[in-house]
Amino acid sequence: MITVDCHEVESIQNELLIYVADDVAAVPNIKYHEFILSPIEDDGIIDTNEVISSIKRFLESIGEQRNFAVISKGDIISIESISGKTIARDAKSSEGLFSCPHCGHVTPYETIHNTHMKIHYL
């Protein structure tokens, strides 16, 4: 498991979570100021360097790669502001996200979530 600390990029946490989880093929679990990536397979391993590269690509895609550093301390990755700048976006509430407890699929739409849940019970 890898924990990504998003205290300084809270306004983009949900977008970042979805991007990184899809990019490294991991099961995401969202928390208040962080998210956790778990391997899909029980014996799987998530490469920390791959997660760091994915976070950097995301920051580059939104034009923020020069304002934030991605720092790894064991299994904890922190995204820290270099100049004290924060990303000014409307923070989307995590209350509006639906997460599958079986595989970690995340969607903001309840109907899609309910349809997705059905596949686990076929």
Side-chain angles (χ1 to χ4, degrees), residues 1-5 20 23-24 26 35 37 39 44-57 70-79:
M1 288 191 329
I2 295 177
T3 302
V4 180
D5 180 358
V20 174
D23 197 33
V24 300
F35 62 88
L37 298 170
I45 297 172
I46 300 174
D47 184 10
T48 305
N49 293 326
E50 194 175 322
V51 174
I52 291 170
S53 295
S54 181
I55 293 169
K56 287 180 178 181
R57 281 192 299 274
V70 182
I71 301 167
S72 173
K73 297 173 188 163
D75 286 342
I76 299 174
I77 298 172
S78 299
I79 305 167

Side-chain angles (χ1 to χ4, degrees), residues 27-121:
V27 178
N29 294 306
I30 194 166
K31 289 188 166 189
Y32 190 58
H33 294 288
E34 63 189 21
F35 62 88
I36 298 171
L37 298 170
S38 303
I40 294 173
E41 302 285 328
D42 288 336
D43 58 345
I45 297 172
I46 300 174
D47 184 10
T48 305
N49 293 326
E50 194 175 322
V51 174
I52 291 170
S53 295
S54 181
I55 293 169
K56 287 180 178 181
R57 281 192 299 274
F58 179 80
L59 291 172
E60 183 177 351
S61 75
I62 61 170
E64 295 289 347
Q65 74 275 13
R66 293 184 181 176
N67 298 319
F68 292 90
V70 182
I71 301 167
S72 173
K73 297 173 188 163
D75 286 342
I76 299 174
I77 298 172
S78 299
I79 305 167
E80 298 181 11
S81 177
I82 295 172
S83 62
K85 180 184 184 245
T86 59
I87 297 175
R89 286 192 178 177
D90 293 332
K92 294 181 181 177
S93 172
S94 62
E95 293 174 17
L97 293 178
F98 298 90
S99 178
C100 177
H102 302 290
C103 69
H105 176 262
V106 178
T107 181
Y109 307 107
E110 185 175 13
T111 54
I112 292 174
H113 173 70
N114 291 338
T115 303
H116 170 83
M117 290 296 292
K118 291 176 185 176
I119 68 168
H120 292 291
Y121 300 104

